[in-house]
Amino acid sequence: MNNNFPKHIAIIMDGNGRWAKQRGLKRTAGHEEGAKVVRDITTHCGKLGVEFLTLYAFSTENWSRPKLEIEFLMKLLEKYLTNELEVYLQNNVRFQAIGDISKFSNALQKRITLTQEKTAKCTGLTQILALNYGSRNEITRAVQKLVVQNLAVNEENINSCLDTAHIPDVDILIRTSGEVRLSNFLLWQSAYAELFFVQKYWPEFTSYDLDDIIDDFIKRERRFGSV
Ligand code: IPE
Ligand code: IPE
Ligand code: MG
């Protein structure tokens, strides 16, 4: 495979609410539509031979949303993981989660753990959902682990205490919906990522859009500080 082919693609799936509003629907309808796109893009990345796909599904800041929307998102996530297990296995997709899932209901935590366990032996794409994830929270927890284990504070040790310990740095970081910000997503891991900001709302994002981004990425020269 082309040396420049991305190993790790990360996506801030934004714009579900605006997509729905534009159509006179409830915000929750946008989340439901967005979940379908998660499946499409995951399958596509698997076929392309991408190794890691990290999707921002719920941030540490998203708890500030209306209670009903949060409840809907939690139910949607549980339903998604339940229905998706067969699809993961059929497509040889390994599922993992990053973020502090201890804040979720017991049932949802169990579903997350079960999905990880059942797909642990899959050798194709690893799909990573960022759930109650925030980079500041992740880095803080990593440093706390170093202190508890009395380890030296250096980049290597911090890296190995992050939720993404065994996952390579991000090559391509995409945000949909036209917003140009990172919203506390993979700040450490994206230090040298190529950034792509797409106007489309997440429910409108297709595998063709992803192909265009990968084509563009392959042409970019990544210098990593060198000349
Ligand atoms: C992203 O879409 C999904 C989540 C954050 C869970 P939004 O819900 O943020 O949709 P907009 O940005 O309000 O349109
Ligand atoms: C980022 O989107 C979080 C997820 C996509 C899960 P938000 O919609 O929460 O981000 P802000 O509030 O626009 O920065
Ligand atoms: Mg948003």
Side-chain angles (χ1 to χ4, degrees):
M1 194 178 277
N2 185 323
N3 256 347
N4 295 330
F5 199 78
K7 266 197 175 72
H8 186 177
I9 297 178
I11 309 182
I12 303 173
M13 311 183 288
D14 196 20
N16 291 351
R18 279 165 286 167
W19 177 89
K21 201 175 160 204
Q22 211 177 43
R23 285 160 179 76
L25 303 168
K26 285 197 227 157
R27 289 179 56 82
T28 50
H31 296 315
E32 257 173 346
E33 202 59 28
K36 294 182 197 158
V37 180
V38 171
R39 174 190 277 187
D40 292 347
I41 295 299
T42 301
T43 310
H44 189 62
C45 281
K47 283 190 189 139
L48 290 176
V50 173
E51 290 176 46
F52 299 89
L53 172 68
T54 306
L55 301 168
Y56 207 4
F58 194 85
S59 76
T60 46
E61 286 73 34
N62 286 149
W63 295 108
S64 65
R65 292 190 177 202
K67 195 169 164 259
L68 281 178
E69 181 169 348
I70 296 173
E71 277 172 13
F72 183 89
L73 286 168
M74 296 301 145
K75 280 208 193 90
L76 180 65
L77 179 59
E78 204 176 326
K79 199 169 83 184
Y80 179 83
L81 290 176
T82 309
N83 293 337
E84 216 57 15
L85 183 57
E86 274 307 306
V87 183
Y88 285 129
L89 296 172
Q90 268 164 24
N91 294 329
N92 197 21
V93 172
R94 181 167 67 132
F95 166 81
Q96 295 201 329
I98 56 170
D100 178 8
I101 63 162
S102 70
K103 300 283 180 295
F104 293 151
S105 73
N106 284 338
L108 182 52
Q109 287 184 51
K110 272 193 195 136
R111 177 50 61 183
I112 293 166
T113 314
L114 184 85
T115 312
Q116 289 193 161
E117 286 168 1
K118 294 258 185 208
T119 63
K121 291 201 172 73
C122 292
T123 54
L125 173 82
T126 301
Q127 183 212 55
I128 302 145
L129 291 190
L131 303 172
N132 187 28
Y133 176 87
S135 278
R136 289 180 174 182
N137 171 276
E138 181 195 31
I139 293 168
T140 306
R141 285 187 286 107
V143 174
Q144 284 164 351
K145 286 182 210 165
L146 291 184
V147 172
V148 169
Q149 294 171 43
N150 201 18
L151 289 167
V153 181
N154 55 43
E155 286 192 17
E156 201 189 336
N157 285 346
I158 293 176
N159 215 21
S160 66
C161 287
L162 293 173
D163 298 346
T164 53
H166 302 290
I167 300 165
D169 278 354
V170 175
D171 296 308
I172 294 180
L173 177 68
I174 302 167
R175 182 173 190 143
T176 57
S177 90
E179 308 294 355
V180 185
R181 56 175 170 265
L182 299 177
S183 303
N184 203 8
F185 186 49
L186 299 177
L187 301 181
W188 175 282
Q189 299 84 344
S190 296
Y192 265 102
E194 295 292 325
L195 309 182
F196 293 85
F197 296 96
V198 180
Q199 288 303 317
K200 279 188 180 180
Y201 296 136
W202 175 249
E204 306 168 311
F205 190 77
T206 68
S207 45
Y208 299 107
D209 297 316
L210 186 64
D211 288 342
D212 288 345
I213 288 172
I214 294 175
D215 285 347
D216 187 343
F217 169 85
I218 288 170
K219 289 187 209 122
R220 290 193 188 184
E221 188 195 350
R222 302 177 81 192
R223 287 190 289 275
F224 298 99
S226 184
V227 286

